[in-house]
Amino acid sequence: MNVHFTMSGAGSAARQRALMLVRDAIAKREASLASAEAQKLSINDAGGISRPSSQGGK
């Protein structure tokens, strides 16, 4: 059975809204990642945070 979707009517509006929501989510995620990366770089520039050693603090 072939199903063909046309870009008209309520289905089109729903698809456009779904695409807008996806684009917004992607933009927010990219902004969050960029912010986290910038924060990480600023922490490293400020001398860093002492992390526990991989040997259990020995």
Side-chain angles (χ1 to χ4, degrees):
M1 179 171 92
N2 291 336
V3 178
H4 182 72
F5 293 103
T6 59
M7 292 301 285
S8 63
S12 173
R15 281 190 294 279
Q16 288 177 350
R17 175 141 175 81
L19 284 172
M20 184 181 71
L21 291 173
V22 169
R23 288 185 189 121
D24 286 350
I26 290 171
K28 286 178 185 177
R29 178 68 175 150
E30 288 176 346
S32 174
L33 289 173
S35 174
E37 187 65 26
Q39 188 176 25
K40 186 174 23 171
L41 290 174
S42 70
I43 289 172
N44 287 342
D45 289 344
I49 298 172
S50 60
R51 292 188 174 102
S53 74
S54 61
Q55 298 172 350
K58 293 181 181 178

